[in-house]
Amino acid sequence: MPELRASALVDAPVAVVAGALLDTSLIAGFGVKVPGPLLCLGDVLTGPFGVKLTVTRADLSGVSAAGDFLELHTDLVVTGAGTMVIDRVAWTTVGGVVGRFADVTVGRGMALRVLQKRSALLAERCRELSGARVVVGAAIVRGGRLLAQQRSYPESHAGQWELPGGRVEDGEKPEEALVRECVEELGVSVVVGEQVGPDVPLRKDVVLRIFAAELAELDGDEPEALEHNAVRWLTADELPATDWLPADRVLVPALQELLN
């Protein structure tokens, strides 16, 4: 299977670059049909000539999609100067001299042009997301289970599940905003840990940033659905089948890793 590689250094943290890769606008311009604004594990992408690829990876390490005749991989490596983006494209060669000629004159040339254009789009999107406003979310874990809350509004998302959290106000640090939001939404205090997964693009200038969290030991209160329909503790196996909001669904692989 022939393979083409290309690499570029992006001046942005890996969480920002990984989040930018989830933005399907980076590939929609190449004639690829996507199921939504964000790439999720298991999504099916339809390219030119009806080529179908299934997303097999979408996390802090990069993204991958594979089909019967084509594989696309983008790996992310943290360096002292930024994030190295390594693209790999592999495809099945049509047999015979004609197939080998097409690999050299058409396949490799076309793939290289696409990678170069996508690389420029990725760098620009990372610049936008680096200065984006932040919405925070809490991955609250207790006894190997994750706390989720069910939306009651707006009507389009009522009944779906999300992680607790909200906007970071002016003058607040993300961790401070998360503590405040958990008190307002759940009536509990939390201890905030490290970031989980990538920065997920919500809009052009807004990202969702999730932090691991635990209930404060001295609090003793149980989380309540003060602003939502319900709260629920989920196991790692229950996460994929849960009806998440789109942005939270993107983070399911990272949340499963956190629980495991």
Side-chain angles (χ1 to χ4, degrees):
M1 178 177 281
E3 183 176 278
L4 179 68
R5 291 174 176 256
S7 62
L9 184 64
V10 178
D11 184 17
V14 67
V16 172
V17 181
L21 287 171
L22 300 176
D23 190 336
T24 56
S25 67
L26 296 182
I27 57 176
F30 299 106
V32 179
K33 295 181 180 179
V34 295
L38 296 170
L39 282 181
C40 289
L41 195 68
D43 279 352
V44 177
L45 313 177
T46 303
F49 311 109
V51 174
K52 292 186 181 297
L53 300 173
T54 300
V55 177
T56 57
R57 176 178 55 131
D59 54 31
L60 278 176
S61 70
V63 298
S64 295
D68 293 336
F69 309 105
L70 182 67
E71 294 181 7
L72 306 175
H73 304 277
T74 300
D75 302 316
L76 302 180
V77 179
V78 178
T79 75
T83 303
M84 182 65 69
V85 181
I86 304 170
D87 289 312
R88 295 179 289 127
V89 181
W91 62 94
T92 301
T93 303
V94 178
V97 175
V98 174
R100 291 192 294 272
F101 178 77
D103 278 346
V104 175
T105 61
V106 180
R108 292 182 182 276
M110 181 181 298
L112 183 59
R113 288 192 295 272
V114 169
L115 290 180
Q116 290 172 337
K117 185 175 181 180
R118 203 287 300 265
S119 181
L121 292 172
L122 176 63
E124 176 59 28
R125 191 69 179 105
C126 287
R127 283 191 287 270
E128 293 174 343
L129 294 179
S130 293
R133 292 181 293 136
V134 177
V135 173
V136 289
I140 302 174
V141 176
R142 184 176 68 181
R145 293 173 181 263
L146 176 75
L147 184 70
Q149 55 186 13
Q150 188 180 45
R151 290 292 296 262
S152 57
Y153 64 91
E155 185 177 349
S156 58
H157 292 303
Q160 291 186 295
W161 295 82
E162 66 176 353
L163 299 177
R167 293 183 179 181
V168 177
E169 302 294 346
D170 292 340
E172 277 188 318
K173 295 180 180 179
E175 294 86 350
E176 294 171 342
L178 198 54
V179 171
R180 172 181 55 77
E181 288 286 347
C182 287
V183 171
E184 293 175 0
E185 294 186 350
L186 301 169
V188 296
S189 297
V190 297
V191 178
V192 181
E194 298 295 321
Q195 182 174 348
V196 177
D199 284 357
V200 180
L202 298 180
R203 295 195 295 275
K204 185 175 182 179
D205 60 345
V206 181
V207 297
L208 172 63
R209 184 173 298 163
I210 301 299
F211 291 89
E214 296 180 351
L215 297 177
E217 290 184 4
L218 299 180
D219 191 316
D221 292 330
E222 283 294 310
E224 298 181 66
L226 300 180
E227 299 180 356
H228 290 69
N229 283 338
V231 294
R232 179 184 175 192
W233 292 97
L234 301 167
T235 66
D237 292 339
E238 291 174 312
L239 297 184
T242 299
D243 186 16
W244 295 100
L245 291 178
D248 295 76
R249 176 167 293 282
V250 169
L251 293 157
V252 165
L255 296 172
Q256 286 183 303
E257 184 177 347
L258 179 67
L259 293 180
N260 293 329

